[in-house]
């Protein structure tokens, strides 16, 4: 059986992202129909990583009409055969992702920008710092923002920390969405909903700004329990 992961939320974010770069809007139900029509004729590739697929859309604006090009079908096939093994297997099969703190002169997103949108401009500028991190033996970049070093995202993933606060309470903390500097991740949403539903009596779930200095202090005081990232891969790599 083929299950589609939270397609309503993915389509809603696609629409928000399109609006951010002034592309015409579209009916979510029509995009959902395209996805299901495609999946009804395509098969899971043999030997794919845990039998998961990713479908990518290509926007081709023509005049005042938004067209979802069927070229994305070809890209989707390429994703099935090469995207998962080359980009994910080395990290997610080991289950641990090492992060490189972004340098002070590099910013992935900023208040008033487009960090919340799933668009190419949200990723392209980060490649140079990622290459530097990779050369130093890290898997991704922990993107910090502002003079205080606020933690925003881990590479292209939302970044979570679990620690014991100074008052003795256990807390799951993640950066908030209100200033639109981070992506409203679908897997992020799932993690928060599950934590509140199943762990509500054991842990406090908080969406607030926090800094890398707070993490370092928690490590020094042996209060850091774990950290992890969540993104489009629908995988939860642990951070050492």
């Amino acid at each position: 059986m083929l299950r589609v992961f939270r397609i309503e939320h993915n389509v809603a974010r696609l629409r928000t992202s399109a609006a951010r770069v002034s592309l015409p809007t579209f009916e979510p139900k029509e995009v959902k129909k395209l996805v299901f029509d495609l999946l009804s004729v395509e098969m899971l590739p043999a030997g794919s990583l845990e039998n998961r697929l990713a479908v990518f859309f290509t926007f081709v604006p023509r005049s005042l009409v938004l067209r979802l090009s069927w070229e994305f079908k070809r890209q989707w096939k390429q994703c099935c055969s090469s995207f998962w093994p080359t980009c994910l297997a080395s990290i997610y099969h080991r289950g641990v992702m090492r992060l490189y703190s972004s340098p002070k002169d590099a910013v992935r997103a900023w208040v008033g920008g487009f960090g919340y949108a799933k668009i190419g401009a949200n990723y392209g500028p980060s490649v140079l710092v990622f290459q530097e991190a990779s050369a130093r033996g890290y898997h991704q970049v922990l993107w910090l923002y502002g003079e205080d070093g606020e933690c925003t995202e881990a590479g292209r993933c939302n970044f979570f920390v679990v620690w014991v606060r100074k008052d003795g309470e256990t807390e799951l903390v993640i950066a908030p969405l209100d200033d639109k500097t981070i992506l409203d991740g679908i897997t992020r949403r799932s993690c928060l909903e599950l934590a509140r539903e199943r762990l509500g009596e054991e842990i406090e779930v908080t969406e607030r700004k926090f800094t890398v200095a707070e993490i370092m202090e928690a490590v020094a005081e042996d209060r850091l329990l774990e950290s992890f990232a969540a993104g489009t891969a629908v995988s939860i790599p642990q951070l050492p």
Side-chain angles (χ1 to χ4, degrees):
M1 177 185 295
L2 182 63
R3 294 186 299 171
V4 179
F5 180 67
R6 311 200 77 169
I7 188 170
E8 291 82 6
H9 297 304
N10 277 285
V11 171
R13 187 176 64 186
L14 179 67
R15 196 178 191 198
T16 299
S17 299
R20 180 61 183 85
V21 290
S22 301
L23 286 173
T25 188
F26 55 86
E27 286 296 329
K29 65 180 181 181
E30 296 300 325
V31 178
K32 290 172 60 177
K33 183 177 183 299
L34 286 176
V35 172
F36 285 115
D37 285 349
L38 175 64
L39 296 179
S40 69
V41 297
E42 295 291 346
M43 301 295 293
L44 289 170
S48 63
L49 182 61
E50 298 183 10
N51 291 325
R52 289 179 293 178
L53 303 175
V55 178
F56 293 95
F57 297 94
T58 299
F59 283 114
V60 184
R62 296 184 177 181
S63 184
L64 298 178
V65 179
L66 171 66
R67 178 170 178 261
L68 290 176
S69 171
W70 278 100
E71 290 178 356
F72 86 96
K73 181 177 179 180
R74 174 172 54 81
Q75 293 179 353
W76 177 70
K77 287 182 178 179
Q78 181 180 357
C79 169
C80 294
S81 62
S82 62
F83 177 81
W84 291 108
T86 58
C87 296
L88 300 178
S90 62
I91 296 176
Y92 296 112
H93 268 187
R94 288 199 300 269
V96 175
M97 183 167 68
R98 298 181 66 233
L99 296 181
Y100 172 72
S101 296
S102 61
K104 291 185 178 181
D105 61 349
V107 178
R108 186 199 66 84
W110 54 92
V111 175
F114 39 75
Y116 68 97
K118 194 82 169 178
I119 57 178
N122 198 8
Y123 300 98
S126 68
V127 173
L128 185 62
V129 181
F130 167 72
Q131 290 176 337
E132 179 181 339
S134 181
R136 293 171 179 262
Y138 294 88
H139 296 115
Q140 265 298 352
V141 179
L142 174 59
W143 288 101
L144 307 177
Y145 181 71
E147 293 296 325
D148 295 332
E150 297 172 8
C151 298
T152 60
E153 293 193 347
R156 300 171 181 84
C157 300
N158 294 123
F159 177 60
F160 296 78
V161 170
V162 183
W163 54 24
V164 178
R165 297 192 311 232
K166 292 186 177 182
D167 62 4
E169 295 296 322
T170 303
E171 179 182 46
L172 169 66
V173 62
I174 186 172
L177 301 174
D178 51 9
D179 62 6
K180 296 186 176 181
T181 56
I182 72 168
L183 193 67
D184 183 8
I186 311 304
T187 312
R188 173 191 188 275
R189 183 192 300 260
S190 298
C191 290
L192 292 175
E193 290 176 357
L194 287 171
R196 286 172 173 141
E197 176 185 338
R198 302 186 182 187
L199 302 173
E201 297 182 0
E202 305 173 31
I203 188 170
E204 183 173 340
V205 180
T206 307
E207 296 178 68
R208 69 169 178 85
K209 294 180 179 180
F210 64 101
T211 67
V212 68
E214 290 182 73
I215 295 178
M216 294 172 65
E217 182 181 37
V219 170
E221 297 175 356
D222 199 27
R223 293 187 290 105
L224 181 66
L225 301 180
E226 68 173 315
S227 58
F228 60 93
T232 304
V234 199
S235 295
I236 312 293
Q238 185 180 14
L239 307 175

